[in-house]
Every structure is written in structure tokens, then in C-alpha cells.
Amino acid sequence: MIYVIYMVFQQAYKDNVKQRETEEKLRRAKEAKVKAEQEKQERLARKKALVDMNAGDDTGVMDNLLQALATGQAFQKRKRPPRERGGINTFSICCWI
């Protein structure tokens, strides 16, 4: 009888731990999503501020350019798409010659 109660208690404890872990995982995922959205909005706002300098008034052109240089946005590299794998491997050809 006590063994059955002990086993039920162990199972309930495991279920509670699993539920807490799941809730924590969901909470962290939600926080990460919110943070990513905020960063995306900030990037868009900075990009829009840089584009706005072309709106017509030339008063802040140098300021915007200096700010772009200071923040490093002027030197951002664009990601290249990955090369397609396939065809003949050039390494295997040069080794057999």
C-alpha cells in the first residue's frame, strides 16, 4: 500500500517537473521572440533614418553619414547565398592528373 502511494507521488512529482520545464521553455521562447521583434524594429528605424536623408533636405547629410560610419552600418556585409554542391569535385580531378 505504501509502495503504491510512493509510486503515485513520484509520478506526480515527475509530471510537475516536466510541466515547469515546459512552461519555462515557452516563456524563454516568447521572450526571445519579443526581443527579436524589438531588434528588428530598431534596425528598420535606423535604416529608415538613413534613407530619410534622401528625402530632400540636405541639412543633415554629413551628420547622417558620420553616424553611419560611427555605427558601422556603412560597412555591413551582405550575406551571399551558399554555393550549390554537386557536379564534379575539382579536388578529385586534380589528384588523378
Side-chain angles (χ1 to χ4, degrees), residues 9-89:
F9 176 78
Q10 286 293 335
Q11 185 62 37
Y13 179 77
K14 288 179 184 177
D15 290 342
N16 288 342
V17 168
K18 189 180 231 183
Q19 183 178 4
R20 279 189 217 121
E21 289 174 352
T22 304
E23 289 172 356
E24 181 68 19
K25 192 176 188 181
L26 289 173
R27 184 186 63 78
R28 279 186 268 136
K30 191 174 186 178
E31 286 176 358
K33 186 176 181 181
V34 168
K35 185 177 178 182
E37 185 65 30
Q38 287 175 347
E39 289 175 356
K40 183 178 178 182
Q41 292 296 330
E42 289 172 2
R43 280 194 309 267
L44 288 174
R46 279 187 263 134
K47 188 175 182 180
K48 188 174 182 179
L50 287 174
V51 171
D52 282 345
M53 73 178 184
N54 295 331
D57 62 342
D58 294 335
T59 57
V61 173
M62 285 302 289
D63 292 332
N64 288 337
L65 290 174
L66 288 173
Q67 181 183 10
L69 287 173
T71 59
Q73 281 193 322
F75 304 108
Q76 286 182 348
K77 290 187 177 181
R78 298 196 176 150
K79 292 184 179 180
R80 287 190 262 162
R83 295 187 332 196
E84 291 184 20
R85 300 289 181 178
I88 301 173
N89 189 355

